[in-house]
Amino acid sequence: MREGVLKLAVVAGEVSGDLLGADLVRALKTQFPGQVELFGVGGEQLTAEGLNSLFDYSELSIMGFTQVLKKLPQLISRIKETANAIIAYKPDALLIIDSPDFTHRVAKRVRKALPDLPVVNYVCPSVWAWKEYRATAMLSYVDHVLALLPFEPEAMQRLGGPATTFVGHRLSVDPDVLAVRAQRALRPVPATGDTRTILLLPGSRSTETTRLMEPFQQAASAFVERNGPTRFVLPTVPRQEQRIRELAASWPDAIRPEIGTDTAFKWRCFAEADAAIAASGTVILELALCHVPVVSVYKTDWIFTMLSKRVKTWTGALPNLIADYALVPEYFNEVVRSGSMLRWAERLSSGTIQRRAMLEGFELVQKRLQTEIPPGEQGAAILLQTIRMKTGKR
């Protein structure tokens, strides 16, 4: 470690990882007495903290085995490029964030060349869901894991993986999430005959939106047919806006959703929605913490469908895992049907026992994610502690 300078290599592969990394780096700058210098791969949030990304990290935002296979040569090239650049940079520590298919392969290469380099993994890989052997494999290239979910340290210990600490989830203290939850607490439950607002979230990847927009259209049509005029809103990310607008262009006027990409539009939709239909993923937890009743759906590619028997977890919805019971209804692949989405949207957007039970469960999720120290601050402290323990430097 150069006097007064902490050289941190960071590799984040998706928007959520970029946000987590930036949150930790901001805390790190307050805890480290000198200058924090960043190097590696990230997005807008890490760039704002001083990172000049080696390449556009959106290249890594792929989902499903067929997509991975299609882009495999490019991914292998980027793994080598990133690892070699970090090795040449000779950082004081390496922080890898989520996207394990990419970040862990980079970490393995870097650790082989720099065996004494402290490596911290932010976001525990879902070893508790499938490929349990990854836990022990991580011992060779990860010193500490920062977990977002409260049950993960025990799972990692049971599987013989690296030291793991539950630091909490960024969303549990996100100012926008807290603001939306406060706004929603003042909203009345829609009465019979009121025009309802249904939030549609078909995913942030092209493969997700392509598979889900058609059943979403069918569910929206059926909802209007049974319940009358309805407002549909669909916030998306900028890189998917054109695709979403193309897919929604043929929807009848009565169900055509309001589409937007700016952050203010997203949070306004979250605050005003009576219920949501969403692609399975982190957004389900985001909705839970905002107290937006939701039904979760997903369609996988054919290869993952073939391998799905290897998945050991009982649910794909994070609120369910945290609450430890079936809180959010979820449908996958061939059972993603408009009839199911329609009926859940009806029950969750009105004053029913199903809505009340879900909101009560969201309170439990919120409570279990609470930590005394904010996630970014605790993560930064563990990163510094790992560097000191591994190198003896302060």
Side-chain angles (χ1 to χ4, degrees):
M1 188 183 299
R2 199 164 75 240
E3 187 65 31
V5 178
L6 172 60
K7 296 171 63 178
L8 178 65
V10 56
V11 183
E14 294 197 55
V15 173
S16 58
D18 182 50
L19 288 165
L20 289 171
D23 184 47
L24 187 149
V25 167
R26 280 191 292 271
L28 186 63
K29 289 178 178 178
T30 66
Q31 295 179 24
F32 182 71
Q35 177 185 351
V36 177
E37 186 178 288
L38 301 181
F39 183 86
V41 178
E44 294 178 1
Q45 298 299 316
L46 280 167
T47 297
E49 296 302 322
L51 175 69
N52 184 14
S53 186
L54 292 169
F55 57 88
D56 185 349
Y57 82 142
S58 66
E59 292 180 21
L60 308 177
S61 184
I62 55 178
M63 191 73 175
F65 288 99
T66 53
Q67 286 293 307
V68 171
L69 290 173
K70 184 179 179 180
K71 294 191 175 183
L72 190 57
Q74 179 184 350
L75 284 172
I76 292 173
S77 176
R78 288 303 194 189
I79 289 168
K80 291 179 180 178
E81 174 190 348
T82 305
N84 289 340
I86 291 172
I87 293 165
Y89 177 65
K90 294 183 179 177
D92 296 305
L94 169 60
L95 175 67
I96 57 173
I97 311 171
D98 211 358
S99 305
D101 288 335
F102 183 82
T103 62
H104 284 234
R105 285 173 169 78
V106 170
K108 289 177 187 177
R109 286 175 171 269
V110 172
R111 173 55 69 83
K112 187 174 181 179
L114 303 173
D116 297 324
L117 180 70
V119 179
V120 172
N121 175 203
Y122 200 172
V123 183
C124 181
S126 52
V127 292
W128 35 266
W130 76 320
K131 294 185 179 179
E132 294 180 340
Y133 62 83
R134 290 179 295 167
T136 53
M138 288 170 62
L139 289 170
S140 65
Y141 62 91
V142 170
D143 296 297
H144 206 110
V145 177
L146 308 178
L148 274 58
L149 306 176
F151 59 84
E152 290 178 320
E154 185 280 329
M156 189 64 83
Q157 182 180 35
R158 173 173 51 83
L159 296 171
T164 302
T165 302
F166 168 56
V167 298
H169 202 292
R170 178 192 63 82
L171 289 173
S172 67
V173 293
D174 184 280
D176 291 313
V177 169
L178 298 178
V180 168
R181 189 161 71 224
Q183 291 175 57
R184 293 189 61 80
L186 302 176
R187 278 177 56 86
V189 178
T192 302
D194 287 351
T195 298
R196 297 181 225 177
T197 297
I198 305 298
L199 174 60
L200 303 176
L201 295 163
S204 60
R205 301 179 179 92
S206 58
T207 52
E208 293 173 328
T209 57
T210 300
R211 294 181 187 126
L212 290 177
M213 281 293 281
E214 183 177 353
F216 275 25
Q217 177 187 357
Q218 294 168 353
S221 295
F223 192 95
V224 169
E225 184 178 337
R226 285 167 58 115
N227 300 278
T230 305
R231 178 185 176 219
F232 296 97
V233 292
L234 198 165
T236 187
V237 294
R239 66 177 181 273
Q240 290 299 325
E241 181 181 13
Q242 182 177 350
R243 179 63 176 158
I244 289 288
R245 291 192 182 278
E246 289 173 354
L247 291 168
S250 61
W251 290 26
D253 290 343
I255 64 167
R256 188 168 298 142
E258 299 171 29
I259 300 169
T261 59
D262 62 277
T263 303
F265 176 76
K266 170 192 170 178
W267 293 119
R268 188 164 66 250
C269 291
F270 274 49
E272 296 173 356
D274 296 306
I277 304 172
S280 179
T282 303
V283 72
I284 304 298
L285 179 60
E286 194 171 26
L287 290 163
L289 292 172
C290 287
H291 288 196
V292 183
V294 59
V295 55
S296 173
V297 299
Y298 207 76
K299 287 194 171 187
T300 61
D301 60 34
W302 65 272
I303 298 180
F304 186 86
T305 301
M306 283 176 45
L307 298 174
S308 60
K309 291 182 180 179
R310 298 174 62 184
V311 177
K312 296 186 177 181
T313 188
W314 61 274
T315 177
L318 291 177
N320 295 356
L321 289 166
I322 296 166
D324 197 30
Y325 72 91
L327 171 58
V328 173
E330 51 188 344
Y331 297 91
F332 295 97
N333 295 331
E334 66 274 4
V335 293
V336 174
R337 298 172 183 170
S338 59
S340 300
M341 291 185 280
L342 151 72
R343 286 166 175 81
W344 273 112
E346 287 178 336
R347 302 302 294 173
L348 296 176
S349 62
S350 56
T352 62
I353 189 171
Q354 289 87 354
R355 179 187 174 93
R356 293 193 296 273
M358 187 174 290
L359 294 178
E360 181 180 307
F362 289 168
E363 293 282 357
L364 175 62
V365 171
Q366 178 185 331
K367 181 178 179 180
R368 290 186 172 174
L369 284 180
Q370 288 177 344
T371 55
E372 292 185 11
I373 304 172
E377 292 181 20
Q378 190 171 359
I382 291 171
L383 176 64
L384 286 174
Q385 182 183 36
T386 303
I387 294 171
R388 290 161 183 157
M389 289 178 61
K390 186 100 175 180
T391 65
K393 298 177 181 179
R394 296 187 175 274

